[in-house]
Amino acid sequence: MFSFQQANKSIELIDTFLNSIDEGALIFKEGVKNYLFGNRESFVDNLKTLSALETEADITRRKIENILYTQSLMPQLRGDIMRLLEVLDNIIDMAKKSLFQFDVEVPHIPAELNQDLVKLTEVSAAAIDSVIPAARDYFRNPEKVKEKIHRVYLYEKEADKLADAIKRKVFQEMTNLKLSEKFHLRYFTLHIENLSDAAQEAADMLSIMAIKRTI
Amino acid sequence: MLFLIFLSSGLFLGWSLGSNDAANIFGTAVGSRMVSFKRAAWIASIFVVIGAVFQGRGATETLSNLGSVDALAGAFTVALCAAITVFIMTRSGLPVSTSQAVVGAIVGWSAFTGNQTDYVVLTKIVTTWITGPVLGMIFAALLFLLLRRILRRMQIHVIKLDSIIRIGLITAGAFGAYSLGANNIANVMGVFVASAPNIELNFGLFVLDGVQILFLIGGIAISVGIFTYSHKVMQTVGRGILALTPEAALVVVLTQALVLFLFSSASFSSFLIWLGLPPLPLVPVSSTQVVVGAVLGIGLVKGVNEIKGKTLGGIAVGWIATPLVAGIFTYLGLFFVQNVFGLVVTAKTIAGQMEEVPTEPMASGIYNINLIMPGLLILAFMIIILLVFLFFRQQKLRLKTENELLVHQNEFFNSQKALNELEINAIQMENTMLSNKLELKRQELNTLLMNISEQRAFLENITNQISELIGSQDIKMRDARLKELSVLLKQKMSFSKEIEEFYGQIEQVHKDFQIKLSVRFPDLTENEKRLATLLRLNFSSKEIATFLNISPKSVEIARYRLRKKLELKAGENLTQFLINL
C-alpha cells in the first residue's frame, strides 16, 4: 500500500498508451494520403505500423486495467479511467479498420476528390490530436481539460461539414460514377469522419470526468 | 467485581462511541475502499487507546467539574442512560453526540440528587457545541484552500495522488483516532473517575495510575465497538454524508483530528494563555458535529453546499433533544435505581436512603503493581505466537502454491490427453479410409484379372476356330463360320460390360451432378444424362463417339437435342453450362 512502484508503473503505462493513440492518428493520416496518391508501398508500411500500434495499445490497456484493479488503486476513479482508455482505444481500432478497408476494398477515388479527402483526414486526425493533451491534463491538471477539449468540438464540426460537402459532390456532381462507386466513396468518407466522432465521445467523457475531479 | 458490573454501562457507552464515531475518522477511506476495514479498525483501535490513556485527563476534569458523580451506582445510571439515549437516537437516524448525552445525563443526575450544577462549566461546555463545528468549518476551509493551492501548483498525477492521499488518510486517521480517544474518553469514563481504583501499573517504560487504567478499559471498549459494529456505519457514512472526493475527505479527517486535539490538549491551552489569548476549554466535543462543520467549510470554499438542510435540521434537533432526553432518562433511571434497588446514587446524604453501597476500598495507600516482568513475558509470548503463526501461514501459502501448480499441471495433462485422443481418432479414420481404398483396389485387380482371363478364353476360342477353318476345304461353311466370328468380334467390341462399369464409377464420383441434373431437368433420358456427364468431363465429340460406340455425327445430333432440352441460348457454351451447374 505504501509503495509508489505500482503507481509509477501505471503512470508510465498510461503515458505509453496515450503516445500509441497519438502516433496512431499520425500514421492513419499518412496512410490515407499515401493511398490517395498511389504510394502503395508506403501505404502498406503505414498499415503494418498502425496494426502494431493498435495491438500494443490493447496490451497496454489490459496491463493498466490489471494494475488498477489488483492493486486497488483509485477505487472511485478507476472505472471512469478505464472507460476513457477504452474509448481512446476505440479510436485507434477504428483507424486501423478503416485503413484495412482501403487495403481490402481498394476503393476507386476520382483524383478531384483527393484534396477534399486529405483535408477531411487532417481535420479528423487533428480532433484526435487535440483529445490526447486533454486526456493527459485530466491526470495531472484537471482544471485545464475544459480549455483543451473545445478544440476537439471545433475539429469535429469541421469534419462533419467537410464530409457533407464530399458526399454532396459525389452524389450530385459526379454523374459519371456508378451508383456502387458513389456508395463506396460515401462509406470511406464516413469511416474517416467517424474518427472525429470517436474523439468527440472521448472529449465528452473527459469533460464530465474533469468536473468530478475538480476539487 | 461490583465495580466492574457498574462499569459495564460505561463500557456499553464506549462500545457505542466506537461503533459510531470511528466512522467519522475512517468512514470515507473504508467506504471508498481506499483502506481495508481491518487495517482501519486496527489503526483506530490502537490510537484511540493511546490517546485515551495519555491525554484523556484534560476533558475529563471539565466534565467532573460539571457535576462530580460521586457514587458508583449513580455513575452507572448516568452512563447507562447516556448510552441508551445514544443508542435510541442512532437507531432513529439522528446524528447524535455522545458528549451531549453525557452532559445531559450529568445535569439530570445533579437535578435528581440536588447537587449544584456548575453553570459556568455548563456554559463553557454548551459553548463548545457551537465553537466545535464552527472551528471545524474554519479549519476545513483553510486546510482545503491550502491543499487545493498545493495540488494545483504541484500537478501530481492522479494515480500518485491516490497513493499519497491514501497515506494521508491513514496518518490523519491515526491522528484522528488519537484525538478521539483523548477527547471523548471523558464521555465514556468521566463519570467513573471519582470511583477509580487506587492502583498503579508499572510497565517499566511508563506507569499507569487508576484513572489511566479506567481510560485503558474504556479505550478497549471503544476498540471493541470499532471492530464489532463500525464497519456497517463506515459503509453508510462513506457513501452518505462523507461521499466526498478523497482530497476533501482528507481535509475533513484532518480537521476533525485537529479540533478534537485542541479541545483536549492541556499544553495547547497553556500555549494560548502564554500568547495572551483566551484558552480553549478542555471539553469533550462531538466528532460528528465537527465533521459536519468541516464539510460545510469545504462547501463554502467550493461555492456549493454539500450538506442538505435536512441534515442541518437533524443536527439542530440533536443538539436540543439529546441532552434533554438523556437528562430525563437519567432522572427517571436514578429514581428507579434508588427506590427499586435501593442503591446509593450520590455520596450526599439524601432522606430515605436505604443502604450504603461500598465504593472501591478507598485505602490510604496506592497499590503499585509491577508489570515489567509479566509485560516482558507477554511480549515474548506474543512474539513466539506471531512466529508460529507466520510459519504456519508460510506453510499454508506454500501448499496453496503447490496445489495451484498441480491443478495447472493437471489441466495441462488433460488438454494434452484430449489432443492425443483427437490425433488417434484422426489416424484411425485415415487407416479406415486407407483400408477401404485397399479393398477397392483389390476388387479392381480381381476384376482386371477376371477380365484378362475372360479375354484370353475368348481369344483362344477364336484362335481355335480360325485354326480349324484354315484346314477346311468347304468354302461355304468357312464363309458362314467367318461371318459368325466377325459378328462375335463386333459384339465383343461394344465393351458393353466395361462401359457400364465405367458409367457406374462416374456416377458414383459425380453423384451431386447427377442429382442436380435430374432435379433441374427431369425430362432428360438416361442416354442424354450420360452424354451430359461425358461433356462435363470435357471429352471431345470424337472420344464420346468411341465411348458410346456411335458415329461422331450422331454425337453432334445428340448434343443439339441436349442443348434444346437444357434450354440454352445461341451464344451459350454447353460444356461450360454443365460445369457450372
Side-chain angles (χ1 to χ4, degrees):
Chain A
M1 178 176 274
F2 295 111
S3 132
F4 286 102
Q5 206 182 346
Q6 293 296 333
N8 285 336
K9 198 176 166 194
S10 48
I11 292 171
E12 209 174 282
L13 284 172
I14 287 175
D15 280 339
T16 318
F17 176 81
L18 292 176
N19 287 345
S20 304
I21 310 291
D22 209 7
E23 281 170 37
L26 279 176
I27 304 282
F28 173 75
K29 198 162 66 179
E30 285 308 304
V32 174
K33 277 187 196 168
N34 281 328
Y35 179 84
L36 291 175
F37 298 111
N39 305 327
R40 186 74 191 166
E41 268 180 34
S42 309
F43 170 77
V44 172
D45 261 2
N46 292 144
L47 189 60
K48 275 185 197 156
T49 320
L50 188 58
S51 191
L53 273 175
E54 194 264 340
T55 317
E56 193 190 304
D58 266 348
I59 294 169
T60 317
R61 186 168 62 85
R62 276 187 212 117
K63 272 188 197 162
I64 297 168
E65 195 168 34
N66 200 24
I67 294 182
L68 290 192
Y69 281 88
T70 52
Q71 304 295 319
S72 67
L73 295 173
M74 300 179 300
Q76 284 178 318
L77 296 176
R78 64 184 171 203
D80 276 348
I81 291 178
M82 280 328 297
R83 225 167 302 137
L84 173 73
L85 296 188
E86 263 167 43
V87 171
L88 290 174
D89 194 28
N90 188 31
I91 296 178
I92 197 171
D93 274 359
M94 282 168 78
K96 188 198 84 175
K97 271 186 201 157
S98 191
L99 222 51
F100 257 108
Q101 269 160 340
F102 272 103
D103 187 43
V104 173
E105 298 177 20
V106 200
H108 162 65
I109 296 171
E112 61 250 53
L113 276 183
N114 279 2
Q115 279 313 314
D116 291 333
L117 281 172
V118 166
K119 212 169 166 197
L120 175 65
T121 314
E122 272 178 351
V123 172
S124 269
I128 303 169
D129 284 347
S130 315
V131 88
I132 300 296
R136 285 191 209 277
D137 266 343
Y138 166 76
F139 292 107
R140 289 187 187 273
N141 198 1
E143 268 118 27
K144 286 269 166 67
V145 169
K146 258 216 145 57
E147 290 171 26
K148 301 264 166 80
I149 53 172
H150 81 271
R151 278 163 171 267
V152 183
Y153 294 126
L154 178 82
Y155 286 128
E156 195 273 336
K157 225 181 268 172
E158 276 303 301
D160 274 358
K161 271 191 225 161
L162 280 169
D164 268 355
I166 293 173
K167 284 181 221 163
R168 221 172 273 278
K169 202 170 178 181
V170 167
F171 281 92
Q172 291 174 4
E173 292 169 23
M174 300 183 147
T175 42
N176 55 333
L177 289 180
K178 280 196 232 164
L179 187 62
S180 58
E181 284 174 329
K182 288 179 184 174
F183 280 172
H184 214 189
L185 284 171
R186 178 183 71 183
Y187 276 118
F188 276 87
T189 314
L190 197 68
H191 292 325
I192 302 173
E193 184 196 349
N194 278 345
L195 286 179
S196 69
D197 288 339
Q200 191 191 24
E201 194 187 333
D204 283 340
M205 250 187 104
L206 271 171
S207 72
I208 296 169
M209 284 166 68
I211 294 170
K212 270 199 207 168
R213 260 212 73 200
T214 316
I215 63 161
Chain B
M1 192 57 212
L2 194 65
F3 177 70
L4 280 180
I5 291 169
F6 280 117
L7 201 62
S8 62
S9 67
L11 299 181
F12 176 45
L13 195 61
W15 176 84
S16 72
L17 183 94
S19 57
N20 280 310
D21 287 26
N24 292 329
I25 306 167
F26 278 110
T28 318
V30 172
S32 64
R33 284 168 291 155
M34 282 186 102
V35 180
S36 70
F37 170 72
K38 221 170 165 184
R39 192 185 289 259
W42 272 110
I43 295 170
S45 303
I46 291 168
F47 281 91
V48 158
V49 171
I50 295 175
V53 173
F54 294 103
Q55 209 186 312
R57 213 178 281 270
T60 313
E61 266 168 28
T62 315
L63 215 54
S64 309
N65 291 341
L66 176 66
S68 182
V69 185
D70 46 13
L72 205 50
F76 169 78
T77 317
V78 166
L80 184 67
C81 292
I84 290 171
T85 311
V86 170
F87 187 74
I88 291 171
M89 300 284 267
T90 312
R91 279 274 148 164
S92 49
L94 284 169
V96 67
S97 154
T98 319
S99 330
Q100 286 166 347
V102 170
V103 168
I106 292 175
V107 173
W109 175 83
S110 297
F112 181 79
T113 55
N115 277 311
Q116 192 65 43
T117 306
D118 188 338
Y119 287 104
V120 179
V121 178
L122 185 64
T123 321
K124 225 187 207 177
I125 292 175
V126 173
T127 320
T128 62
W129 294 352
I130 298 160
T131 48
V134 170
L135 214 58
M137 196 160 88
I138 297 167
F139 275 9
L142 292 176
L143 278 174
F144 190 70
L145 279 173
L146 185 73
L147 184 72
R148 189 154 78 171
R149 181 167 278 239
I150 292 173
L151 288 183
R152 279 188 185 159
R153 187 158 295 179
M154 290 184 66
Q155 299 191 0
I156 305 166
H157 196 283
V158 64
I159 299 177
K160 201 169 222 170
L161 186 66
D162 173 79
S163 304
I164 294 170
I165 286 180
R166 224 174 256 239
I167 295 169
L169 274 175
I170 289 175
T171 319
F175 180 34
Y178 175 84
S179 302
L180 183 75
N183 189 279
N184 278 15
I185 192 69
N187 294 330
V188 180
M189 287 292 144
V191 289
F192 295 99
V193 166
S195 332
N198 290 323
I199 308 170
E200 261 188 6
L201 295 181
N202 188 350
F203 286 94
L205 290 172
F206 51 87
V207 181
L208 296 185
D209 62 20
V211 177
Q212 281 177 316
I213 293 166
L214 207 59
F215 289 171
L216 178 68
I217 296 168
I220 291 168
I222 296 176
S223 306
V224 172
I226 293 171
F227 270 101
T228 50
Y229 201 73
S230 71
H231 195 184
K232 228 161 86 182
V233 187
M234 280 186 190
Q235 295 287 356
T236 327
V237 165
R239 285 168 196 165
I241 186 173
L242 285 184
L244 306 162
T245 57
E247 294 89 345
L250 179 64
V251 170
V252 169
V253 176
L254 204 60
T255 304
Q256 182 209 339
L258 271 175
V259 172
L260 257 62
F261 182 78
L262 295 184
F263 277 111
S264 53
S265 167
S267 6
F268 182 74
S269 272
S270 23
F271 175 69
L272 282 180
I273 294 167
W274 181 74
L275 283 178
L277 293 169
L280 278 177
L282 303 182
V283 172
V285 286
S286 157
S287 60
T288 312
Q289 285 167 10
V290 176
V291 164
V292 171
V295 175
L296 260 179
I298 292 173
L300 281 180
V301 174
K302 284 172 85 171
V304 282
N305 191 355
E306 296 202 8
I307 299 254
K308 291 171 197 129
K310 208 175 155 189
T311 321
L312 285 178
I315 291 161
V317 170
W319 264 341
I320 302 160
T322 315
L324 212 65
V325 172
I328 294 168
F329 268 2
T330 313
Y331 196 90
L332 295 174
L334 288 170
F335 180 79
F336 195 68
V337 168
Q338 183 175 288
N339 296 325
V340 178
F341 294 106
L343 295 176
V344 173
V345 293
T346 177
K348 201 178 145 187
T349 323
I350 297 171
Q353 177 180 315
M354 324 251 304
E355 193 189 327
E356 182 80 27
V357 172
T359 51
E360 278 300 298
M362 293 286 178
S364 50
I366 292 172
Y367 299 111
N368 190 327
I369 302 169
N370 191 334
L371 282 176
I372 300 175
M373 263 322 277
L376 282 177
L377 281 175
I378 289 170
L379 197 70
F381 182 68
M382 276 168 75
I383 288 172
I384 290 169
I385 285 185
L386 189 75
L387 284 177
V388 170
F389 171 74
L390 283 178
F391 173 75
F392 277 109
R393 205 172 77 153
Q394 190 66 24
Q395 290 283 88
K396 208 174 151 189
L397 277 177
R398 197 171 54 83
L399 281 174
K400 204 177 149 192
T401 337
E402 274 175 13
N403 206 10
E404 268 173 18
L405 205 74
L406 283 174
V407 169
H408 274 298
Q409 261 178 358
N410 206 9
E411 273 172 16
F412 176 70
F413 283 138
N414 277 341
S415 54
Q416 220 172 27
K417 202 174 144 194
L419 217 69
N420 284 343
E421 269 171 16
L422 274 175
E423 237 167 74
I424 288 169
N425 278 346
I427 290 171
Q428 270 176 349
M429 267 174 70
E430 214 179 315
N431 280 347
T432 325
M433 257 168 63
L434 283 175
S435 65
N436 283 347
K437 226 172 175 178
L438 198 71
E439 188 57 33
L440 212 71
K441 290 274 173 204
R442 197 174 287 147
Q443 275 178 11
E444 268 176 27
L445 267 178
N446 283 345
T447 322
L448 193 70
L449 210 66
M450 279 176 60
N451 236 335
I452 290 171
S453 51
E454 200 186 329
Q455 301 277 352
R456 197 186 177 85
F458 176 75
L459 288 174
E460 258 177 17
N461 182 24
I462 300 281
T463 321
N464 288 341
Q465 286 194 37
I466 290 174
S467 306
E468 275 174 30
L469 286 178
I470 288 171
S472 162
Q473 300 298 321
D474 185 352
I475 294 173
K476 242 183 183 175
M477 191 268 292
R478 205 165 61 184
D479 280 355
R481 289 281 299 275
L482 277 174
K483 229 177 217 167
E484 265 174 35
L485 279 177
S486 163
V487 170
L488 207 64
L489 282 172
K490 252 185 193 158
Q491 271 176 355
K492 194 68 190 170
M493 257 169 69
S494 72
F495 295 112
S496 54
K497 204 174 159 194
E498 285 80 355
I499 283 171
E500 281 305 321
E501 266 174 27
F502 172 73
Y503 280 126
Q505 275 183 14
I506 283 189
E507 271 169 27
Q508 199 63 32
V509 176
H510 299 276
K511 217 173 186 172
D512 287 353
F513 173 71
Q514 295 283 343
I515 292 168
K516 269 188 206 163
L517 205 63
S518 319
V519 171
R520 277 192 63 180
F521 307 101
D523 302 342
L524 292 183
T525 61
E526 210 49 47
N527 278 335
E528 279 163 344
K529 276 186 201 164
R530 280 186 182 176
L531 177 65
T533 313
L534 289 170
L535 281 170
R536 191 169 186 264
L537 291 172
N538 222 355
F539 284 116
S540 68
S541 297
K542 221 172 177 182
E543 286 163 334
I544 294 172
T546 321
F547 283 135
L548 297 183
N549 208 17
I550 51 175
S551 69
K553 189 80 189 161
S554 309
V555 176
E556 290 301 322
I557 291 166
R559 274 182 73 133
Y560 176 74
R561 281 194 194 125
L562 187 61
R563 281 182 72 92
K564 280 253 157 160
K565 279 204 171 167
L566 298 180
E567 293 161 2
L568 289 185
K569 285 177 198 140
E572 279 180 288
N573 186 336
L574 175 64
T575 315
Q576 202 57 44
F577 175 81
L578 290 169
I579 288 171
N580 290 342
L581 196 75

